[in-house]
Amino acid sequence: YTTLFRSYRGVFNQLVRRYQDRVYHVVRRMVPDPDDALDIAQEVFIRAFEKVSDFRGDAQVFTWLYRIAVNLSLNHLRAARLRTFFRLSEDHHALPDTGPVPSASVELSEMQALVRSAMDQLPEKQKAVFVLRYYEELAYEEIAVILNTSVGGLKANYHHAVKKIEAYVKARM
């Protein structure tokens, strides 16, 4: 068993090294706080390690990891929304700090902050589809596997997300 465990652990370490940056970037685009995003990305690999026996092999490994990442990110966002709701109901003057995204150019930074704010306004599913399609450049078929939904529904969600982001940015420029 010791040899088998070492071999399994070595393969899993290669998996982490290969996908850790991509998983983090997906989570980071969905979760505004970098520390939270790092925690979630780590949790993705912990869950994957614990649930490796559930991996059926009918999808690519990164698709499986992205599904875990998106689900954990959405769960985090729901929990954060609840915490914010209860905090705001206690003190209706408190607003969450969304801070600007650092960038080399002020104009680019402002645009990134606007897009980030617009993304934060999207419903969860539209946000997930937008991140996976626009930033990760995944095919609709891959996103359908990750989010367990139809390609047609994804295309509609992506279209609505893009339109909402465009409207949000135009209204503030």
Side-chain angles (χ1 to χ4, degrees), residues 30-143:
M30 294 184 71
V31 176
D33 184 86
D35 292 330
D36 289 344
L38 185 58
D39 290 345
I40 293 168
Q42 290 173 350
E43 181 68 22
V44 167
F45 290 103
I46 292 169
R47 293 275 176 96
F49 186 81
E50 292 171 345
K51 302 288 186 181
V52 71
S53 62
D54 294 346
F55 180 65
R56 296 183 308 267
D58 55 350
Q60 294 180 13
V61 174
F62 79 86
T63 303
W64 179 59
L65 290 173
Y66 276 22
R67 178 180 230 165
I68 296 169
V70 167
N71 287 339
L72 289 175
S73 296
L74 291 175
N75 290 343
H76 172 81
L77 292 171
R78 285 183 200 111
R81 192 173 300 125
L82 281 174
R83 284 191 304 271
T84 300
F85 172 76
F86 287 115
R87 187 175 62 238
L88 289 177
S89 66
E90 291 171 5
D91 178 7
H92 65 279
H93 298 293
L95 294 175
D97 180 20
T98 57
V101 177
S103 177
S105 113
V106 172
E107 187 174 313
L108 179 60
S109 177
E110 289 173 359
M111 182 58 77
Q112 288 173 338
L114 271 175
V115 171
R116 165 59 83 189
S117 294
M119 284 175 45
D120 288 344
Q121 304 301 313
L122 293 174
E124 292 171 351
K125 192 161 194 174
Q126 287 179 9
K127 183 175 184 176
V129 171
F130 183 79
V131 166
L132 293 172
R133 179 73 179 154
Y134 183 79
Y135 287 110
E136 297 303 315
E137 300 176 353
L138 296 180
Y140 285 114
E141 293 75 17
E142 291 174 296
I143 300 169

Side-chain angles (χ1 to χ4, degrees), residues 19-29 34-35 37-38 41:
Y19 294 111
Q20 66 186 354
D21 289 340
R22 291 176 75 186
V23 167
Y24 173 77
H25 290 294
V26 167
V27 174
R28 179 66 178 98
R29 287 190 176 104
D35 292 330
L38 185 58

